[in-house]
Every structure is written in structure tokens, then in C-alpha cells.
Amino acid sequence: MKIELAVIAGDGIGPEVVAEGIKVLQAIGSRFGHSFNLHHGLIGGIAIDRTGEALPEETLKMCRSAQSVLMGAVGGPKWDDPKAKVRPEDGLLAVRKGLGLFANLRPVTVSPLLADSTALKPEVIRGVDLIVLRELTGGLYFGRPKKQWQTARGRRAVDSMVYSEQEIERIVRVGFELARGRRKKLVSVDKANVLESSRLWRQVTMEVAKKYRDVELEHMLVDTCAMRLIQTPKYFDVIVTENTFGDILTDEASVLAGSMGMLPSASLAGVPQDGGGMFGLYEPIHGSAPSIAGQDIANPIATILTVAMMLRYSFGLVKEANTIETAVEQVLNEGYRTSDIMEKGKTKVGTKKMGDLIARKAGGT
Ligand code: IPM
Ligand code: MG
């Protein structure tokens, strides 16, 4: 297969982890006979520095004409001035919105090899296998009005959690489809006891549920969900929720996997199909981690697993995706760890070395 891939590495550790993802991709390419034609573009802080915009038109065009996009991370202290007119994160939001990628799949699985090294009891997290489906192009992130202004009695600011029934329906439908292909249990997370947008979310979810009677649906308040994710994570199969709740719950869920550096994600415009063929933006859930950037210590596994998701969902290359996931497990099994998942008795390695080890296994050499 010959694949045209857009690469937007961004800021901080973004370029470092993306380089390792590409290393693994190339290894898979030479083993299984695929070629990846990479098109690099600017996004985030680096794009602001060079062009004044967080998502230059050229980058968006490049992404649109590629078959998929691999992203790193954006942001950093250099661009953190709350008064700044443009922020790196604007680029990320614009690329998600501009490409219409409303469905962000964030699978959370716990490697048995890391079950003893996380902050939680091994018996609580062993066997966790859930997906958070985060709505990605609506809600608080995009709702209007969104502004800060001066009044006679001081400054005020507003953000708006806005959802249309169409936006809710399409994401919830993806949630039901995902659950149908798994353990048939969907938890829809909202704050319907307080928020009007959540009450609409709940109504629409119940309407969509009529077409999915084989899937068990439960509504859960977001605060309860935050608690249960840590207390009884194995309870969950598929969680569907709005943008901000999904953002927060997935950072929380990364504790189950041992580190933010372990969780991949895929942003799609619908239900992933067997056989691939779906355009997507693939990004690790972690940020640009400026404090550790440039030191060869970031964990590249989230990005490497993100590459596996891309091969599976966009290109239907299931064997290749499984090969990457197995390679990650093998390297962990041999005792190699980046510093975020380091434990006593294991071998600490840097970003590049971890990438090399996984690429070598994935490439079968
Ligand atoms: C994520 C990140 C982003 C988000 C930030 C960097 C804007 O936290 O992908 O979870 O909030 O969506
Ligand atoms: Mg986040």
C-alpha cells in the first residue's frame, strides 16, 4: 500500500515522540511492503512563530489532501500569555474542527506488565479495557459567546456549552456502534442534574437508544463517573461524553494505564469500519510537556500506539496494527521503561532508545 500521510508534530515533546512513531511506521512499511509518503506541516506555537497563525491555511490544505494525519502536541510557556491574541491550542482546535473530526476515540487498556506499577491497586486495574468516546468539535471548547470583557464592576468572562441535537445524535450513534462491537455496554456521561445542554444530551441519547436495543445504556453524572473510573474501572466498556468532560476524564483514565505517555487517540468523522478507508487525525492524548522537551526522556509509546490506531482505522492494516501493539508489549516485557513508567529492577531508556527497540520488534529484525 502507498500512503500519503500528513505529519504535524507541533511543539515541546511533539516532534520527539512523532519521530519515534514514524520510525515504527517505517519499520512496519519495510516488513509488510507499504510506503509512506510524509508531508510535514506547521501547527501550534512553532506555526505562530513562523507565520503568525496557529494553523496556517497551507497546513490545513495539506491535511485535507492527505489520507490521514499524524499529530504530536501543541503549546508551551512561550505562548502562554493569557492576553495573547492567538494560542497554540487554537491550531489544534481548528484542525479538529476544520477536518470535521467530531469523534475522538481514547481507548484505555492496562498492560498486565504495568499493572503493579501504577498508583492504583493491581486488582482494581488488571484487565481494564474501556474506550472513552469524546465529542471533539462542540461544547465548551467551541460554543459562543466566548469572551472576556470589562464592566464598571470589574472584568467578566463567559464560555458556552452549546450542543445541537444533530451533534449529540451523531456522536452517541458512534458510541452505540462501538459498544455493539465490544461488550455492548454504553455509559453516557453528562451533568443532567444541572446543565441544560446535558438534559438535551440525555434526551437525544434515549432517542438514539431505541435503535440499539441490544446495547445496554446507562446515564451517569460526570462527577460519579470520575469517582467510578478510579474505584471500579472494569465496570466500563464504552463511555460517550461531551468535549470538556471527555478531556478531563481521559487524563484521569491515563492513571489506570500507568501514564499519560501510554494513551493513544483517533479523531474520526464517524464510525470506524473494518477494512479502514476512513480519514483521521491521530494524536496521543498527552500534551507538549515543555518541562521535559528536548531531553530524550518523553515516553513515545502513546504516539506509537496512535500509529497502530491509524493503520487499523484509516488503512484497514489490522495485522500491521497488531504487530505494533505486540511489539510494545514485548519491549515492556523485556523490562524496558521510560522514566514515567520506571520501576525498581527495570531498565530505564530514553525516547529514542524506546522507539528503536519497538521499531526493531515491529520490523521483525
Ligand atoms: C487533549 C488536550 C487538548 C484538549 C489541549 C492541548 C487543547 O488536553 O487533547 O486532551 O483539551 O483537547
Ligand atoms: Mg486533555
Side-chain angles (χ1 to χ4, degrees):
M1 212 171 178
K2 192 166 171 341
I3 290 165
E4 302 292 329
L5 184 63
V7 180
I8 45 177
D11 309 314
I13 62 168
E16 293 170 65
V17 293
V18 163
E20 302 314 306
I22 289 172
K23 199 183 270 177
V24 173
L25 196 60
Q26 304 290 17
I28 285 287
S30 32
R31 177 170 179 180
F32 294 95
H34 307 299
S35 68
F36 300 94
N37 200 6
L38 306 179
H39 307 267
H40 294 271
L42 296 172
I43 189 168
I46 187 172
I48 296 175
D49 286 354
R50 300 224 187 131
T51 71
E53 287 174 283
L55 181 69
E57 186 54 40
E58 201 187 323
T59 302
L60 188 58
K61 240 167 75 194
M62 179 195 83
C63 293
R64 285 206 174 108
S65 55
Q67 287 169 279
S68 259
V69 186
L70 178 63
M71 220 215 46
V74 298
K78 183 175 174 194
W79 308 281
D80 255 352
D81 177 4
K83 291 201 184 115
K85 288 230 152 50
V86 49
R87 297 180 55 94
E89 291 78 2
D90 298 339
L92 177 54
L93 302 196
V95 76
R96 290 168 175 170
K97 187 84 167 176
L99 299 173
L101 304 171
F102 65 88
N104 182 221
L105 276 66
R106 298 190 160 188
V108 181
T109 53
V110 176
S111 163
L113 300 162
L114 297 181
D116 295 320
S117 62
T118 77
L120 295 157
K121 291 201 187 91
E123 63 267 27
V124 173
I125 57 166
R126 208 175 276 277
V128 164
D129 177 14
L130 61 92
I131 289 194
V132 179
L133 176 62
R134 171 186 176 193
E135 200 290 326
L136 203 60
T137 54
L140 267 184
Y141 278 58
F142 294 93
R144 302 282 152 174
K146 180 189 208 63
K147 62 176 180 175
Q148 207 184 109
W149 73 101
Q150 188 72 47
T151 75
R153 297 173 57 197
R155 285 165 295 172
R156 287 177 78 89
V158 63
D159 289 284
S160 310
M161 194 183 279
V162 181
Y163 273 107
S164 69
E165 62 174 298
Q166 291 79 9
E167 284 175 302
I168 300 168
E169 195 199 314
R170 67 182 183 179
I171 188 72
V172 167
R173 192 169 327 126
V174 175
F176 276 108
E177 292 286 341
L178 285 176
R180 191 172 256 178
R182 294 171 47 100
R183 301 194 302 278
K184 297 195 167 48
K185 193 165 153 190
L186 180 67
V187 174
S188 169
V189 172
D190 61 36
K191 187 71 187 173
N193 52 349
V194 177
L195 302 175
E196 206 51 52
S197 57
S198 282
R199 287 191 272 270
L200 179 62
W201 182 284
R202 209 172 261 218
Q203 284 164 32
V204 173
T205 301
M206 287 190 283
E207 288 155 21
V208 176
K210 291 186 187 131
K211 294 191 209 99
Y212 294 91
R213 299 211 187 266
D214 53 323
V215 176
E216 181 197 333
L217 168 69
E218 177 180 348
H219 304 281
M220 194 179 280
L221 297 174
V222 63
D223 43 354
T224 309
C225 182
M227 177 185 67
R228 299 213 54 185
L229 258 181
I230 294 294
Q231 199 177 43
T232 52
K234 275 180 262 192
Y235 182 80
F236 297 100
D237 178 14
V238 180
I239 293 172
V240 62
T241 192
E242 73 86 43
N243 205 343
T244 308
F245 297 160
D247 178 45
I248 299 168
L249 292 175
T250 49
D251 267 29
E252 187 192 4
S254 76
V255 176
L256 305 168
S259 163
M260 295 264 286
M262 295 296 297
L263 292 196
S265 95
S267 304
L268 306 171
V271 183
Q273 305 294 332
D274 289 350
M278 183 168 236
F279 179 87
L281 169 74
Y282 296 85
E283 41 171 325
I285 81 148
H286 63 68
S288 58
S291 66
I292 60 161
Q295 298 170 47
D296 193 41
I297 53 178
N299 185 348
I301 293 179
T303 306
I304 291 168
L305 294 174
T306 293
V307 165
M309 289 187 89
M310 177 178 84
L311 295 179
R312 182 175 289 124
Y313 293 140
S314 283
F315 304 111
L317 300 175
V318 176
K319 187 172 54 179
E320 289 82 343
N322 291 341
T323 302
I324 293 178
E325 287 159 358
T326 308
V328 168
E329 281 300 288
Q330 284 171 335
V331 169
L332 291 174
N333 194 32
E334 287 174 5
Y336 296 104
R337 301 284 188 275
T338 42
S339 55
D340 56 322
I341 49 174
M342 184 61 192
E343 336 162 50
K344 239 177 58 213
K346 303 295 180 197
T347 312
K348 190 146 124 184
V349 294
T351 311
K352 291 194 185 114
K353 176 81 185 182
M354 183 56 100
D356 287 342
L357 290 163
I358 297 169
R360 196 173 318 145
K361 291 265 189 247
T365 54

